[in-house]
Amino acid sequence: MYWDERNECIGPEDLARLQFARLRETVRRAARSPFYRAKGLGEIEVRDLSDVRKLPFTTKDDLREAYPFGMLSCPLDDVVRLHSSSGTTGTPTVVYHSKKDIDRWTDLVARCLYMIGVRKGDVFQNMIGYGLFTGGLGLHYGAERLGCLTIPTGPGNTKRQLKFMKDFGVSVIHVIPSYALHLADEVEKLGIDPRREFPSFKYALLGAEPHTEETRRKVEEFFGIQAYNSYGLSEMNGPGVAFECPEKNGMHIWEDAFLVEVVDPVTLEPVAPGMQGELVITTLEREAMPILRYRTKDLTTLSDEPCPCGRTHRRISRIAGRSDDMIILKGVNIFPMQIEAVLIGIPGVGRNYQVILESRGHNDHITVKVEIDAHLSIDDYRSLEELRKRIVRELRDEILVTPEVVLTEPGGIPVAQGKAVRVVDNRTT
Ligand code: AMP
Ligand code: ZN
């Protein structure tokens, strides 16, 4: 169901009752998985909603350790789909879905789209990666559920994207924010007036990576459209977790499907109302893989101010950053440790390295500075160039993005006082 007034405008007592019933069921289900059983979940009794705090937190590392089947809470033959978080090579984190899980996820995505005005008759072009990444299929099925003509272009091939937008009268696109700006650049280069070229274009959904209000405004003004922030993570299905309504003042987080907490990332205690903290989410409806108190590492604030749109679900603010060192580059998650693991394995690489992120034009750029081993001669150009190319190649295979690699002499990277500064993020958006 994509306009679900009873649930979207539910009163606080009814919501609490619904959440409590669903939380109990979730805990009961989760206790069937080897992972939560080992945590003693069967013994914990949930008597009211605040008992959520008796439950264990779940982290990305937990999911990695539970790979491949440790989190499964239903018979394997009830699972119809598997997704994975972006960018994490090594042991991936996977999420399973039953038929009902996919159906509910699709409803939530359709609910988001309906909220901003997307209807049957709209033409939806999905410029986000398909495959294991959830942004592709997640939005795809949501748009189809509304009856939209849905075009699964995926990312890249900008000329074809623009041609399809024009030829099929595309009215809605889903895109990562940096690619939306790139699209605008291409249109400008071609000397086209976007408002004339794409008269049907109305909405852009910007998702998967952090972006600023300024980026949204640029996209809106350039194309003459409305752009909305879309938040999600594969552990909580993917897109369809929180989404802006036409008020564009925070994203409604769907509290009938997700139980939300905001905690201090160090003490793990709840923050005072309205203060920034780490978003922690418990699934309330998932069958195949319920997750309790998932530490998203995303920093945000939660607002319970009534929203003029009439929906009662609380709103989270634009994601301010992450409480860990995960880098999100072009929508792909990268952990500095992945880079380190590659560098360590290459002979000729010295002790220290540093990752520098910058905005170049509208694109994120990653440079990896690497000290060479003291035994290598700084004058042996040919060997150094071979080493540099090898590092680029091996890093690209690991992080799925091609970095610029700069070699420096031993000691060329300043040593920090205390903790090493592995990542310098100079990006402006
Ligand atoms: P993945 O599990 O690969 O889908 O990555 C999920 C992560 O992407 C989230 O935990 C956030 O850090 C980030 N992310 C997704 N959507 C947004 C958004 N609208 N704004 C900021 N960060 C986002
Ligand atoms: Zn609203």
Side-chain angles (χ1 to χ4, degrees):
M1 200 192 307
Y2 41 81
W3 166 229
D4 184 1
E5 186 171 0
R6 202 167 58 90
N7 272 320
E8 289 177 55
C9 302
I10 192 169
E13 278 115 50
D14 286 342
L15 178 63
R17 241 191 318 273
L18 181 82
Q19 287 184 322
F20 174 58
R22 290 185 176 172
L23 178 65
R24 273 180 80 142
E25 172 64 15
T26 295
V27 171
R28 208 176 52 75
R29 278 192 158 272
R32 293 181 199 156
S33 73
F35 172 80
Y36 285 119
R37 208 180 316 127
K39 294 227 167 198
L41 199 64
E43 280 96 68
I44 300 176
E45 207 192 325
V46 178
R47 289 205 203 84
D48 64 47
L49 212 44
S50 64
D51 278 350
V52 69
R53 292 180 59 192
K54 290 188 195 159
L55 303 175
F57 285 99
T58 308
T59 63
K60 212 177 199 53
D61 280 343
D62 289 331
L63 300 190
R64 228 174 255 137
E65 269 163 40
Y67 178 91
F69 293 122
M71 298 289 290
L72 197 59
S73 297
C74 71
L76 190 55
D77 64 1
D78 287 341
V79 173
V80 299
R81 177 108 61 87
L82 177 152
H83 276 285
S84 182
S85 186
S86 63
T88 45
T89 54
T91 304
T93 59
V94 290
V95 177
Y96 316 101
H97 300 276
S98 68
K99 201 162 185 313
K100 187 166 158 229
D101 292 335
I102 295 287
D103 197 49
R104 294 302 296 138
W105 175 19
T106 303
D107 275 346
L108 290 174
V109 174
R111 180 193 284 186
C112 298
L113 293 173
Y114 192 91
M115 174 165 70
I116 60 164
V118 181
R119 298 289 183 274
K120 179 173 164 58
D122 274 307
V123 181
F124 179 89
Q125 189 160 316
N126 197 6
M127 304 183 180
I128 274 197
Y130 279 69
L132 285 172
F133 181 55
T134 55
L137 289 175
L139 251 302
H140 185 100
Y141 285 113
E144 278 191 358
R145 177 146 301 176
L146 285 181
C148 299
L149 163 55
T150 307
I151 312 178
T153 49
N157 200 341
T158 308
K159 290 227 164 67
R160 190 178 61 190
Q161 303 276 15
L162 295 172
K163 181 171 171 52
F164 275 22
M165 281 176 71
K166 177 171 191 253
D167 294 346
F168 295 103
V170 167
S171 51
V172 191
I173 68 168
H174 177 216
V175 64
I176 65 171
S178 48
Y179 191 65
L181 294 172
H182 176 70
L183 211 58
D185 274 355
E186 282 300 302
V187 168
E188 206 157 55
K189 263 195 224 150
L190 293 169
I192 303 167
D193 173 357
R195 297 175 193 225
R196 283 235 184 123
E197 184 88 349
F198 313 114
S200 324
F201 189 16
K202 290 185 290 192
Y203 310 121
L205 325 178
L206 305 180
E209 70 181 10
H211 57 288
T212 56
E213 193 58 45
E214 194 196 7
T215 296
R216 182 232 296 275
R217 256 201 312 276
K218 270 194 199 158
V219 174
E220 290 189 325
E221 278 162 19
F222 184 83
F223 288 103
I225 56 158
Q226 303 294 319
Y228 296 95
N229 194 354
S230 162
Y231 171 81
L233 59 161
S234 47
E235 292 80 2
M236 297 292 131
N237 301 338
V241 176
F243 209 92
E244 279 178 333
C245 70
E247 298 293 321
K248 293 187 192 157
N249 183 19
M251 298 178 270
H252 288 286
I253 185 157
W254 301 126
E255 296 189 83
D256 51 341
F258 303 104
L259 187 65
V260 184
E261 299 167 81
V262 179
V263 304
D264 179 312
V266 178
T267 63
L268 301 183
E269 290 299 317
V271 297
M275 297 305 287
Q276 181 172 295
E278 181 180 330
L279 185 64
V280 169
I281 310 179
T282 301
T283 63
L284 288 176
E285 293 192 292
R286 262 220 318 248
E287 287 186 339
M289 184 168 158
I291 302 184
L292 308 178
R293 307 189 83 197
Y294 184 68
R295 292 191 56 189
T296 66
K297 305 288 171 108
D298 291 319
L299 300 173
T300 187
T301 60
L302 190 60
S303 159
D304 57 5
E305 283 287 302
C307 184
C309 82
R311 291 174 182 82
T312 49
H313 299 235
R314 287 177 295 174
R315 283 168 290 163
I316 57 167
S317 63
R318 203 174 268 292
I319 303 300
R322 293 185 49 90
S323 65
D324 65 7
D325 55 2
M326 187 176 89
I327 302 165
I328 301 188
L329 192 80
K330 298 176 199 278
V332 171
N333 303 346
I334 301 167
F335 288 89
M337 291 320 288
Q338 287 178 270
I339 293 176
E340 197 164 312
V342 168
L343 294 178
I344 282 172
I346 302 179
V349 167
R351 238 187 327 270
N352 211 351
Y353 72 95
Q354 195 166 48
V355 179
I356 297 150
L357 306 171
E358 298 161 288
S359 309
R360 294 205 185 155
H362 298 312
N363 285 321
D364 288 345
H365 186 86
I366 177 169
T367 306
V368 183
K369 265 193 182 173
V370 182
E371 284 185 13
I372 57 167
D373 189 291
H375 297 105
L376 282 190
S377 163
I378 196 85
D379 299 317
D380 186 355
Y381 180 78
R382 188 191 301 216
S383 327
L384 291 180
E385 185 53 15
E386 260 164 27
L387 174 63
R388 198 189 63 76
K389 283 193 180 141
R390 174 167 174 195
I391 298 173
V392 171
R393 210 171 44 239
E394 294 200 16
L395 281 176
R396 187 191 50 219
D397 289 347
E398 173 67 21
I399 63 177
L400 311 176
V401 173
T402 307
E404 181 177 337
V405 169
V406 177
L407 299 180
T408 75
E409 56 195 327
I413 297 170
V415 179
Q417 308 277 316
K419 265 178 145 201
V421 182
R422 290 297 190 206
V423 180
V424 180
D425 195 342
N426 291 328
R427 288 179 293 183
T428 47
T429 54

